[in-house]
Amino acid sequence: QVQLVESGGGLVQAGGSLRLSCAASGRTFSRYAMGWFRQAPGMEREFVTAIGWSGASTSYADSVKGRFTISRDNAKNTVYLQMNRLKPEDTAVYYCAASRTIAITAPRYDYWGQGTQVTVSS
């Protein structure tokens, strides 16, 4: 069982930056690939980025490539999402999730956090 808690969301102007954190409970964190998804009002949850258990493998949605960076610290049981050059269309609730293997689709993830709101004003 893995419990995930996101933090770091907030309100930022377009062009600004935020760093989200996702703290995981349990001693098996390093065995899981981790992903970030987001969901805007009235929209389906969409993949943002994912990272393999060791941090060596990453994947990004085209919409965030070059602006967002995922990283993890297995010693701290934490995965991070650094978001730069934010745009109003990045506004959404951001969720972190854990999967046995790196994946870009939500059904592949077994555990989810409660989400953190990111709002980008124009």
Side-chain angles (χ1 to χ4, degrees), residues 11-40:
L11 173 64
V12 64
Q13 288 189 330
S17 298
L18 280 176
R19 188 175 83 151
L20 306 183
S21 299
C22 174
S25 66
R27 286 182 254 179
T28 60
F29 173 76
S30 62
R31 300 179 188 175
Y32 286 89
M34 299 297 295
W36 286 95
F37 289 75
R38 66 186 182 186
Q39 188 167 18

Side-chain angles (χ1 to χ4, degrees), residues 2 14-15 73 76 84 120:
V2 177
D73 185 339
K76 295 182 178 180
N84 298 328
V120 184

Side-chain angles (χ1 to χ4, degrees), residues 38-114:
R38 66 186 182 186
Q39 188 167 18
M43 305 292 286
E44 293 188 355
R45 192 168 298 190
E46 66 171 355
F47 171 75
V48 177
T49 181
I51 189 168
W53 65 271
S54 71
S57 299
T58 58
S59 180
Y60 292 91
D62 288 343
S63 59
V64 306
K65 204 170 290 184
R67 299 188 298 122
F68 290 11
T69 303
I70 190 171
S71 61
R72 67 188 296 160
D73 185 339
N74 287 342
K76 295 182 178 180
N77 280 12
T78 302
V79 62
Y80 304 97
L81 179 61
Q82 178 66 45
M83 305 185 293
N84 298 328
R85 304 201 311 274
L86 283 160
K87 305 176 181 179
E89 51 263 45
D90 294 319
T91 295
V93 177
Y94 283 70
Y95 299 88
C96 71
S99 173
R100 287 292 185 180
T101 58
I102 191 169
I104 64 171
T105 55
R108 295 283 301 275
Y109 286 80
D110 302 308
Y111 302 102
W112 292 82
Q114 83 290 347

